[in-house]
């Protein structure tokens, strides 16, 4: 490592960054073969692939913990390989994409259903005569619509391969048009929802679902959740978070807090890349701290760890390189928690817990407009997130991203009115 005199933080080689980001999928692979044998894993992966993937389908329950871990590890490592081959700088944007892939591979994304989205993104790049590198990360995020593949196949022709073929083509079309839609919708919330592709995927999923329903197709909501591995998953994720903090400590000049103020001063609004603002070491520390905060929230809420909660925690960890930190996330978490006490939903339920964890997509509102605004954003988000899923039939895995996009689009201009008045 060499010291950068301009930014005053340690510079880390790209190879080292890629190796560090690969720790979680490699650890997942190792754990998988401790908890399951190869036959169980293969059979479990097959069950995962043939199951409908709409929200909430916990792959730990469907295929077993070993198969879910392998599914996540394989998809994550493949995407890390793509980023390496295309010579990406391992900054906050790719880190957040990697961890959202890792997380949602526990519920909704699998080694079969994601690829049409990538093909669509590749064809879009070719159409514009640009490098796929410019759109790879959007395609990674765009796999939010992976469950659509199975649903379209089931709607068109559940008993033969023609339905599957048309479903794959539909996925390619969605992958093709997702980048321009996401780019356009970013202007709606001005970067105050970190899950912008989830916002775009919500609109696309809503249109697809409406079209399918108009021809008589309907899908049933799913709530397939595991409860058997609560303690093991908590220990595994806590260990990973502590590992990030320890590695970050040594990379940050053997300091836990040097340059942390640079992160905490940011609003978190797109695009705040903490690896560039404060350095890779302190970014790892922030990722570990935020993961621990997420685990504490699960503990306080008396939640039971399962695939969706693991996915939500990994998403927080990833986006803690790209917008999330304690100052801007805790108000949103508190807002959702207060809402869950006052509303009809159970604070300890998986849907409420992941609404809180994913709701930290609204962290930039707290970061820019203050604690009260963050509390309000979180409070509103719970109600919206619990009701918008019916629009896309669970085909948009980033349902909370859809919700936070709606909240940010509505709330930010209102907050601006008061901000201008105060000024």
């Amino acid at each position: 490592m060499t010291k950068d005199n301009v930014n005053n933080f340690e510079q880390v080689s790209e190879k080292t960054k890629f190796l560090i980001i690969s720790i979680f999928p490699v650890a997942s692979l190792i754990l998988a073969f401790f908890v399951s044998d190869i036959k169980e894993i293969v059979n479990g992966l097959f069950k995962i692939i043939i199951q409908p993937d709409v929200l909430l389908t916990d792959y730990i329950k469907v295929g077993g913990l070993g198969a879910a871990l392998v599914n996540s590890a394989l998809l994550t490592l493949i995407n890390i390989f793509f980023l390496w081959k295309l010579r990406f700088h391992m900054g906050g944007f790719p880190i957040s994409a990697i961890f959202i892939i890792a997380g949602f591979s526990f519920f909704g994304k699998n080694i079969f259903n994601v690829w049409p989205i990538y093909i669509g993104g590749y064809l879009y790049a070719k159409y514009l005569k640009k490098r796929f590198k410019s759109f790879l990360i959007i395609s990674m995020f765009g796999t939010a619509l992976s469950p659509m593949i199975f649903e379209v196949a089931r709607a068109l022709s559940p008993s033969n391969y023609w339905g599957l073929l048309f479903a794959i083509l539909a996925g390619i079309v969605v992958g093709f048009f997702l980048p321009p839609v996401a780019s356009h919708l970013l202007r709606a919330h001005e970067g105050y929802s970190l899950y912008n592709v989830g916002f775009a995927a919500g609109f696309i999923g809503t249109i697809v679902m409406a079209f399918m329903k108009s021809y008589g197709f309907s899908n049933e909501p799913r709530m397939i959740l595991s409860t058997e591995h609560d303690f093991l998953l908590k220990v595994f994720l806590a260990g990973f978070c502590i590992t990030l903090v320890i590695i970050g400590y040594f990379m940050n000049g053997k300091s836990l807090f040097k340059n942390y103020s640079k992160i905490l001063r940011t609003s978190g609004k797109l695009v705040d890349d903490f690896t560039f603002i404060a350095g890779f070491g302190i970014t790892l520390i922030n990722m570990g701290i935020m993961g621990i905060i997420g685990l504490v929230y699960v503990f306080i809420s008396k939640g039971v760890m399962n695939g969706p909660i693991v996915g939500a925690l990994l998403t927080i960890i990833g986006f803690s390189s790209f917008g999330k930190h304690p100052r801007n996330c805790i108000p949103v978490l508190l807002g959702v928690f207060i809402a869950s006490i006052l509303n009809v939903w159970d604070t300890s339920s998986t849907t409420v817990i992941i609404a809180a964890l994913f709701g930290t997509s609204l962290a930039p509102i707290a970061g820019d407009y203050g604690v009260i605004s963050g509390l309000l954003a979180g409070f509103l988000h719970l109600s919206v997130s619990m009701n918008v899923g019916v629009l896309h039939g669970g085909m948009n895995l980033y349902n909370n991203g859809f919700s936070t996009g709606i909240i940010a689009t509505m709330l930010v201009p209102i907050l601006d009115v008061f901000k201008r008045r105060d000024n």
Side-chain angles (χ1 to χ4, degrees), residues 153-184:
R154 192 160 63 92
L156 290 175
S157 185
S159 59
N160 62 48
Y161 293 109
W162 286 108
L164 179 60
L165 176 61
F166 281 114
I168 291 172
L169 290 174
I172 292 171
V173 170
V174 166
F176 185 93
F177 288 112
L178 185 62
V181 173
S183 177
H184 180 77

PDB file of all heavy atoms in Angstrom, residues 153-184:
ATOM      1  N   ALA A 153     -43.076 -17.599 -17.891  1.00  0.00           N
ATOM      2  CA  ALA A 153     -43.107 -18.969 -18.422  1.00  0.00           C
ATOM      3  C   ALA A 153     -44.351 -19.703 -17.938  1.00  0.00           C
ATOM      4  O   ALA A 153     -45.022 -20.403 -18.709  1.00  0.00           O
ATOM      5  CB  ALA A 153     -41.843 -19.715 -17.996  1.00  0.00           C
ATOM      6  N   ARG A 154     -44.670 -19.543 -16.675  1.00  0.00           N
ATOM      7  CA  ARG A 154     -45.838 -20.215 -16.104  1.00  0.00           C
ATOM      8  C   ARG A 154     -47.134 -19.674 -16.704  1.00  0.00           C
ATOM      9  O   ARG A 154     -48.096 -20.419 -16.919  1.00  0.00           O
ATOM     10  CB  ARG A 154     -45.837 -20.018 -14.585  1.00  0.00           C
ATOM     11  CG  ARG A 154     -46.828 -20.891 -13.837  1.00  0.00           C
ATOM     12  CD  ARG A 154     -46.431 -21.012 -12.375  1.00  0.00           C
ATOM     13  NE  ARG A 154     -46.461 -19.732 -11.690  1.00  0.00           N
ATOM     14  CZ  ARG A 154     -47.531 -19.277 -11.031  1.00  0.00           C
ATOM     15  NH1 ARG A 154     -48.648 -19.989 -11.001  1.00  0.00           N
ATOM     16  NH2 ARG A 154     -47.491 -18.124 -10.413  1.00  0.00           N
ATOM     17  N   ALA A 155     -47.159 -18.385 -16.999  1.00  0.00           N
ATOM     18  CA  ALA A 155     -48.370 -17.782 -17.556  1.00  0.00           C
ATOM     19  C   ALA A 155     -48.596 -18.197 -19.006  1.00  0.00           C
ATOM     20  O   ALA A 155     -49.726 -18.460 -19.423  1.00  0.00           O
ATOM     21  CB  ALA A 155     -48.280 -16.263 -17.462  1.00  0.00           C
ATOM     22  N   LEU A 156     -47.513 -18.267 -19.784  1.00  0.00           N
ATOM     23  CA  LEU A 156     -47.656 -18.533 -21.212  1.00  0.00           C
ATOM     24  C   LEU A 156     -47.870 -20.005 -21.520  1.00  0.00           C
ATOM     25  O   LEU A 156     -48.753 -20.370 -22.289  1.00  0.00           O
ATOM     26  CB  LEU A 156     -46.414 -18.024 -21.959  1.00  0.00           C
ATOM     27  CG  LEU A 156     -46.255 -16.504 -22.023  1.00  0.00           C
ATOM     28  CD1 LEU A 156     -44.930 -16.139 -22.673  1.00  0.00           C
ATOM     29  CD2 LEU A 156     -47.406 -15.881 -22.806  1.00  0.00           C
ATOM     30  N   SER A 157     -47.035 -20.834 -20.939  1.00  0.00           N
ATOM     31  CA  SER A 157     -47.141 -22.259 -21.244  1.00  0.00           C
ATOM     32  C   SER A 157     -46.402 -23.059 -20.189  1.00  0.00           C
ATOM     33  O   SER A 157     -45.224 -23.374 -20.355  1.00  0.00           O
ATOM     34  CB  SER A 157     -46.558 -22.551 -22.632  1.00  0.00           C
ATOM     35  OG  SER A 157     -46.752 -23.901 -22.974  1.00  0.00           O
ATOM     36  N   PRO A 158     -47.081 -23.378 -19.107  1.00  0.00           N
ATOM     37  CA  PRO A 158     -46.396 -24.030 -18.000  1.00  0.00           C
ATOM     38  C   PRO A 158     -45.943 -25.456 -18.290  1.00  0.00           C
ATOM     39  O   PRO A 158     -45.136 -26.002 -17.556  1.00  0.00           O
ATOM     40  CB  PRO A 158     -47.455 -24.016 -16.890  1.00  0.00           C
ATOM     41  CG  PRO A 158     -48.761 -23.946 -17.602  1.00  0.00           C
ATOM     42  CD  PRO A 158     -48.507 -23.140 -18.839  1.00  0.00           C
ATOM     43  N   SER A 159     -46.437 -26.064 -19.372  1.00  0.00           N
ATOM     44  CA  SER A 159     -46.173 -27.486 -19.583  1.00  0.00           C
ATOM     45  C   SER A 159     -45.143 -27.779 -20.669  1.00  0.00           C
ATOM     46  O   SER A 159     -44.833 -28.933 -20.922  1.00  0.00           O
ATOM     47  CB  SER A 159     -47.483 -28.206 -19.940  1.00  0.00           C
ATOM     48  OG  SER A 159     -48.046 -27.641 -21.116  1.00  0.00           O
ATOM     49  N   ASN A 160     -44.622 -26.756 -21.365  1.00  0.00           N
ATOM     50  CA  ASN A 160     -43.620 -27.044 -22.387  1.00  0.00           C
ATOM     51  C   ASN A 160     -42.563 -25.949 -22.446  1.00  0.00           C
ATOM     52  O   ASN A 160     -42.619 -24.966 -21.710  1.00  0.00           O
ATOM     53  CB  ASN A 160     -44.277 -27.238 -23.762  1.00  0.00           C
ATOM     54  CG  ASN A 160     -45.009 -25.990 -24.228  1.00  0.00           C
ATOM     55  OD1 ASN A 160     -44.468 -24.891 -24.179  1.00  0.00           O
ATOM     56  ND2 ASN A 160     -46.250 -26.159 -24.687  1.00  0.00           N
ATOM     57  N   TYR A 161     -41.608 -26.143 -23.348  1.00  0.00           N
ATOM     58  CA  TYR A 161     -40.447 -25.260 -23.404  1.00  0.00           C
ATOM     59  C   TYR A 161     -40.722 -23.936 -24.109  1.00  0.00           C
ATOM     60  O   TYR A 161     -39.919 -23.013 -24.012  1.00  0.00           O
ATOM     61  CB  TYR A 161     -39.287 -25.980 -24.091  1.00  0.00           C
ATOM     62  CG  TYR A 161     -38.752 -27.137 -23.287  1.00  0.00           C
ATOM     63  CD1 TYR A 161     -38.972 -28.454 -23.689  1.00  0.00           C
ATOM     64  CD2 TYR A 161     -38.042 -26.917 -22.105  1.00  0.00           C
ATOM     65  CE1 TYR A 161     -38.486 -29.520 -22.947  1.00  0.00           C
ATOM     66  CE2 TYR A 161     -37.556 -27.971 -21.358  1.00  0.00           C
ATOM     67  CZ  TYR A 161     -37.778 -29.272 -21.778  1.00  0.00           C
ATOM     68  OH  TYR A 161     -37.298 -30.320 -21.034  1.00  0.00           O
ATOM     69  N   TRP A 162     -41.843 -23.838 -24.840  1.00  0.00           N
ATOM     70  CA  TRP A 162     -42.130 -22.579 -25.530  1.00  0.00           C
ATOM     71  C   TRP A 162     -42.344 -21.445 -24.539  1.00  0.00           C
ATOM     72  O   TRP A 162     -41.890 -20.318 -24.758  1.00  0.00           O
ATOM     73  CB  TRP A 162     -43.356 -22.733 -26.430  1.00  0.00           C
ATOM     74  CG  TRP A 162     -43.068 -23.523 -27.666  1.00  0.00           C
ATOM     75  CD1 TRP A 162     -43.489 -24.791 -27.953  1.00  0.00           C
ATOM     76  CD2 TRP A 162     -42.269 -23.106 -28.776  1.00  0.00           C
ATOM     77  NE1 TRP A 162     -43.004 -25.204 -29.171  1.00  0.00           N
ATOM     78  CE2 TRP A 162     -42.254 -24.185 -29.704  1.00  0.00           C
ATOM     79  CE3 TRP A 162     -41.562 -21.948 -29.085  1.00  0.00           C
ATOM     80  CZ2 TRP A 162     -41.562 -24.121 -30.912  1.00  0.00           C
ATOM     81  CZ3 TRP A 162     -40.870 -21.877 -30.284  1.00  0.00           C
ATOM     82  CH2 TRP A 162     -40.877 -22.951 -31.183  1.00  0.00           C
ATOM     83  N   GLY A 163     -43.032 -21.750 -23.464  1.00  0.00           N
ATOM     84  CA  GLY A 163     -43.246 -20.731 -22.442  1.00  0.00           C
ATOM     85  C   GLY A 163     -41.936 -20.251 -21.858  1.00  0.00           C
ATOM     86  O   GLY A 163     -41.733 -19.050 -21.641  1.00  0.00           O
ATOM     87  N   LEU A 164     -41.015 -21.190 -21.618  1.00  0.00           N
ATOM     88  CA  LEU A 164     -39.708 -20.827 -21.075  1.00  0.00           C
ATOM     89  C   LEU A 164     -38.932 -19.963 -22.064  1.00  0.00           C
ATOM     90  O   LEU A 164     -38.293 -18.978 -21.674  1.00  0.00           O
ATOM     91  CB  LEU A 164     -38.920 -22.091 -20.743  1.00  0.00           C
ATOM     92  CG  LEU A 164     -37.506 -21.883 -20.190  1.00  0.00           C
ATOM     93  CD1 LEU A 164     -37.543 -21.087 -18.891  1.00  0.00           C
ATOM     94  CD2 LEU A 164     -36.820 -23.234 -19.976  1.00  0.00           C
ATOM     95  N   LEU A 165     -39.005 -20.322 -23.348  1.00  0.00           N
ATOM     96  CA  LEU A 165     -38.302 -19.552 -24.371  1.00  0.00           C
ATOM     97  C   LEU A 165     -38.811 -18.115 -24.418  1.00  0.00           C
ATOM     98  O   LEU A 165     -38.020 -17.157 -24.434  1.00  0.00           O
ATOM     99  CB  LEU A 165     -38.472 -20.216 -25.734  1.00  0.00           C
ATOM    100  CG  LEU A 165     -37.857 -19.467 -26.928  1.00  0.00           C
ATOM    101  CD1 LEU A 165     -36.347 -19.329 -26.747  1.00  0.00           C
ATOM    102  CD2 LEU A 165     -38.185 -20.185 -28.236  1.00  0.00           C
ATOM    103  N   PHE A 166     -40.128 -17.951 -24.422  1.00  0.00           N
ATOM    104  CA  PHE A 166     -40.694 -16.602 -24.454  1.00  0.00           C
ATOM    105  C   PHE A 166     -40.364 -15.844 -23.162  1.00  0.00           C
ATOM    106  O   PHE A 166     -40.162 -14.624 -23.189  1.00  0.00           O
ATOM    107  CB  PHE A 166     -42.204 -16.666 -24.667  1.00  0.00           C
ATOM    108  CG  PHE A 166     -42.604 -16.906 -26.087  1.00  0.00           C
ATOM    109  CD1 PHE A 166     -43.244 -18.081 -26.455  1.00  0.00           C
ATOM    110  CD2 PHE A 166     -42.330 -15.970 -27.074  1.00  0.00           C
ATOM    111  CE1 PHE A 166     -43.606 -18.315 -27.773  1.00  0.00           C
ATOM    112  CE2 PHE A 166     -42.689 -16.193 -28.394  1.00  0.00           C
ATOM    113  CZ  PHE A 166     -43.326 -17.369 -28.752  1.00  0.00           C
ATOM    114  N   ALA A 167     -40.315 -16.556 -22.055  1.00  0.00           N
ATOM    115  CA  ALA A 167     -39.975 -15.911 -20.784  1.00  0.00           C
ATOM    116  C   ALA A 167     -38.540 -15.398 -20.806  1.00  0.00           C
ATOM    117  O   ALA A 167     -38.254 -14.293 -20.327  1.00  0.00           O
ATOM    118  CB  ALA A 167     -40.166 -16.894 -19.637  1.00  0.00           C
ATOM    119  N   ILE A 168     -37.637 -16.190 -21.370  1.00  0.00           N
ATOM    120  CA  ILE A 168     -36.245 -15.748 -21.488  1.00  0.00           C
ATOM    121  C   ILE A 168     -36.153 -14.521 -22.390  1.00  0.00           C
ATOM    122  O   ILE A 168     -35.435 -13.555 -22.084  1.00  0.00           O
ATOM    123  CB  ILE A 168     -35.366 -16.897 -22.018  1.00  0.00           C
ATOM    124  CG1 ILE A 168     -35.250 -17.994 -20.945  1.00  0.00           C
ATOM    125  CG2 ILE A 168     -33.985 -16.392 -22.415  1.00  0.00           C
ATOM    126  CD1 ILE A 168     -34.577 -19.260 -21.430  1.00  0.00           C
ATOM    127  N   LEU A 169     -36.900 -14.539 -23.483  1.00  0.00           N
ATOM    128  CA  LEU A 169     -36.923 -13.377 -24.379  1.00  0.00           C
ATOM    129  C   LEU A 169     -37.478 -12.147 -23.661  1.00  0.00           C
ATOM    130  O   LEU A 169     -36.973 -11.032 -23.840  1.00  0.00           O
ATOM    131  CB  LEU A 169     -37.760 -13.689 -25.621  1.00  0.00           C
ATOM    132  CG  LEU A 169     -37.157 -14.691 -26.603  1.00  0.00           C
ATOM    133  CD1 LEU A 169     -38.156 -15.021 -27.714  1.00  0.00           C
ATOM    134  CD2 LEU A 169     -35.867 -14.149 -27.206  1.00  0.00           C
ATOM    135  N   ALA A 170     -38.508 -12.362 -22.843  1.00  0.00           N
ATOM    136  CA  ALA A 170     -39.068 -11.247 -22.069  1.00  0.00           C
ATOM    137  C   ALA A 170     -38.027 -10.685 -21.108  1.00  0.00           C
ATOM    138  O   ALA A 170     -37.908  -9.465 -20.934  1.00  0.00           O
ATOM    139  CB  ALA A 170     -40.305 -11.706 -21.303  1.00  0.00           C
ATOM    140  N   GLY A 171     -37.248 -11.571 -20.483  1.00  0.00           N
ATOM    141  CA  GLY A 171     -36.189 -11.127 -19.583  1.00  0.00           C
ATOM    142  C   GLY A 171     -35.125 -10.328 -20.311  1.00  0.00           C
ATOM    143  O   GLY A 171     -34.614  -9.327 -19.792  1.00  0.00           O
ATOM    144  N   ILE A 172     -34.803 -10.758 -21.530  1.00  0.00           N
ATOM    145  CA  ILE A 172     -33.817 -10.027 -22.333  1.00  0.00           C
ATOM    146  C   ILE A 172     -34.343  -8.638 -22.683  1.00  0.00           C
ATOM    147  O   ILE A 172     -33.610  -7.640 -22.610  1.00  0.00           O
ATOM    148  CB  ILE A 172     -33.476 -10.828 -23.611  1.00  0.00           C
ATOM    149  CG1 ILE A 172     -32.721 -12.110 -23.234  1.00  0.00           C
ATOM    150  CG2 ILE A 172     -32.650  -9.983 -24.576  1.00  0.00           C
ATOM    151  CD1 ILE A 172     -32.524 -13.072 -24.391  1.00  0.00           C
ATOM    152  N   VAL A 173     -35.620  -8.563 -23.046  1.00  0.00           N
ATOM    153  CA  VAL A 173     -36.224  -7.264 -23.375  1.00  0.00           C
ATOM    154  C   VAL A 173     -36.190  -6.336 -22.165  1.00  0.00           C
ATOM    155  O   VAL A 173     -35.841  -5.150 -22.269  1.00  0.00           O
ATOM    156  CB  VAL A 173     -37.672  -7.452 -23.880  1.00  0.00           C
ATOM    157  CG1 VAL A 173     -38.380  -6.107 -23.993  1.00  0.00           C
ATOM    158  CG2 VAL A 173     -37.672  -8.170 -25.222  1.00  0.00           C
ATOM    159  N   VAL A 174     -36.536  -6.874 -21.000  1.00  0.00           N
ATOM    160  CA  VAL A 174     -36.504  -6.076 -19.771  1.00  0.00           C
ATOM    161  C   VAL A 174     -35.084  -5.605 -19.482  1.00  0.00           C
ATOM    162  O   VAL A 174     -34.853  -4.440 -19.139  1.00  0.00           O
ATOM    163  CB  VAL A 174     -37.064  -6.889 -18.588  1.00  0.00           C
ATOM    164  CG1 VAL A 174     -36.719  -6.224 -17.262  1.00  0.00           C
ATOM    165  CG2 VAL A 174     -38.571  -7.042 -18.716  1.00  0.00           C
ATOM    166  N   GLY A 175     -34.118  -6.509 -19.625  1.00  0.00           N
ATOM    167  CA  GLY A 175     -32.725  -6.134 -19.404  1.00  0.00           C
ATOM    168  C   GLY A 175     -32.244  -5.072 -20.369  1.00  0.00           C
ATOM    169  O   GLY A 175     -31.390  -4.243 -20.024  1.00  0.00           O
ATOM    170  N   PHE A 176     -32.803  -5.070 -21.576  1.00  0.00           N
ATOM    171  CA  PHE A 176     -32.439  -4.081 -22.595  1.00  0.00           C
ATOM    172  C   PHE A 176     -32.942  -2.690 -22.220  1.00  0.00           C
ATOM    173  O   PHE A 176     -32.222  -1.695 -22.347  1.00  0.00           O
ATOM    174  CB  PHE A 176     -33.028  -4.511 -23.942  1.00  0.00           C
ATOM    175  CG  PHE A 176     -32.634  -3.639 -25.099  1.00  0.00           C
ATOM    176  CD1 PHE A 176     -31.536  -3.958 -25.880  1.00  0.00           C
ATOM    177  CD2 PHE A 176     -33.363  -2.502 -25.424  1.00  0.00           C
ATOM    178  CE1 PHE A 176     -31.165  -3.159 -26.960  1.00  0.00           C
ATOM    179  CE2 PHE A 176     -33.007  -1.696 -26.491  1.00  0.00           C
ATOM    180  CZ  PHE A 176     -31.902  -2.027 -27.264  1.00  0.00           C
ATOM    181  N   PHE A 177     -34.180  -2.613 -21.743  1.00  0.00           N
ATOM    182  CA  PHE A 177     -34.785  -1.306 -21.495  1.00  0.00           C
ATOM    183  C   PHE A 177     -34.576  -0.784 -20.071  1.00  0.00           C
ATOM    184  O   PHE A 177     -34.853   0.391 -19.803  1.00  0.00           O
ATOM    185  CB  PHE A 177     -36.285  -1.351 -21.805  1.00  0.00           C
ATOM    186  CG  PHE A 177     -36.586  -1.442 -23.274  1.00  0.00           C
ATOM    187  CD1 PHE A 177     -37.146  -2.594 -23.815  1.00  0.00           C
ATOM    188  CD2 PHE A 177     -36.287  -0.389 -24.119  1.00  0.00           C
ATOM    189  CE1 PHE A 177     -37.414  -2.682 -25.172  1.00  0.00           C
ATOM    190  CE2 PHE A 177     -36.550  -0.462 -25.481  1.00  0.00           C
ATOM    191  CZ  PHE A 177     -37.118  -1.615 -26.010  1.00  0.00           C
ATOM    192  N   LEU A 178     -34.102  -1.637 -19.184  1.00  0.00           N
ATOM    193  CA  LEU A 178     -33.941  -1.201 -17.797  1.00  0.00           C
ATOM    194  C   LEU A 178     -32.956  -0.040 -17.632  1.00  0.00           C
ATOM    195  O   LEU A 178     -33.249   0.915 -16.891  1.00  0.00           O
ATOM    196  CB  LEU A 178     -33.519  -2.384 -16.920  1.00  0.00           C
ATOM    197  CG  LEU A 178     -33.416  -2.103 -15.421  1.00  0.00           C
ATOM    198  CD1 LEU A 178     -34.767  -1.680 -14.852  1.00  0.00           C
ATOM    199  CD2 LEU A 178     -32.899  -3.336 -14.685  1.00  0.00           C
ATOM    200  N   PRO A 179     -31.785  -0.042 -18.284  1.00  0.00           N
ATOM    201  CA  PRO A 179     -30.843   1.075 -18.076  1.00  0.00           C
ATOM    202  C   PRO A 179     -31.426   2.454 -18.388  1.00  0.00           C
ATOM    203  O   PRO A 179     -31.290   3.373 -17.563  1.00  0.00           O
ATOM    204  CB  PRO A 179     -29.669   0.720 -18.999  1.00  0.00           C
ATOM    205  CG  PRO A 179     -29.710  -0.766 -19.100  1.00  0.00           C
ATOM    206  CD  PRO A 179     -31.173  -1.114 -19.103  1.00  0.00           C
ATOM    207  N   PRO A 180     -32.095   2.654 -19.538  1.00  0.00           N
ATOM    208  CA  PRO A 180     -32.639   4.000 -19.777  1.00  0.00           C
ATOM    209  C   PRO A 180     -33.768   4.368 -18.817  1.00  0.00           C
ATOM    210  O   PRO A 180     -33.902   5.532 -18.432  1.00  0.00           O
ATOM    211  CB  PRO A 180     -33.136   3.936 -21.226  1.00  0.00           C
ATOM    212  CG  PRO A 180     -33.331   2.493 -21.522  1.00  0.00           C
ATOM    213  CD  PRO A 180     -32.282   1.783 -20.726  1.00  0.00           C
ATOM    214  N   VAL A 181     -34.583   3.384 -18.431  1.00  0.00           N
ATOM    215  CA  VAL A 181     -35.668   3.669 -17.481  1.00  0.00           C
ATOM    216  C   VAL A 181     -35.084   4.083 -16.131  1.00  0.00           C
ATOM    217  O   VAL A 181     -35.520   5.067 -15.519  1.00  0.00           O
ATOM    218  CB  VAL A 181     -36.594   2.440 -17.321  1.00  0.00           C
ATOM    219  CG1 VAL A 181     -37.607   2.676 -16.205  1.00  0.00           C
ATOM    220  CG2 VAL A 181     -37.320   2.144 -18.630  1.00  0.00           C
ATOM    221  N   ALA A 182     -34.082   3.340 -15.664  1.00  0.00           N
ATOM    222  CA  ALA A 182     -33.455   3.659 -14.377  1.00  0.00           C
ATOM    223  C   ALA A 182     -32.792   5.030 -14.419  1.00  0.00           C
ATOM    224  O   ALA A 182     -32.886   5.808 -13.459  1.00  0.00           O
ATOM    225  CB  ALA A 182     -32.433   2.586 -14.015  1.00  0.00           C
ATOM    226  N   SER A 183     -32.134   5.329 -15.527  1.00  0.00           N
ATOM    227  CA  SER A 183     -31.478   6.628 -15.663  1.00  0.00           C
ATOM    228  C   SER A 183     -32.488   7.766 -15.616  1.00  0.00           C
ATOM    229  O   SER A 183     -32.258   8.800 -14.977  1.00  0.00           O
ATOM    230  CB  SER A 183     -30.699   6.666 -16.983  1.00  0.00           C
ATOM    231  OG  SER A 183     -30.108   7.930 -17.183  1.00  0.00           O
ATOM    232  N   HIS A 184     -33.623   7.571 -16.253  1.00  0.00           N
ATOM    233  CA  HIS A 184     -34.653   8.614 -16.276  1.00  0.00           C
ATOM    234  C   HIS A 184     -35.281   8.810 -14.897  1.00  0.00           C
ATOM    235  O   HIS A 184     -35.493   9.949 -14.454  1.00  0.00           O
ATOM    236  CB  HIS A 184     -35.730   8.242 -17.292  1.00  0.00           C
ATOM    237  CG  HIS A 184     -36.831   9.251 -17.400  1.00  0.00           C
ATOM    238  ND1 HIS A 184     -36.693  10.444 -18.083  1.00  0.00           N
ATOM    239  CD2 HIS A 184     -38.092   9.262 -16.888  1.00  0.00           C
ATOM    240  CE1 HIS A 184     -37.812  11.137 -17.997  1.00  0.00           C
ATOM    241  NE2 HIS A 184     -38.676  10.437 -17.277  1.00  0.00           N
TER     242      HIS A 184
END
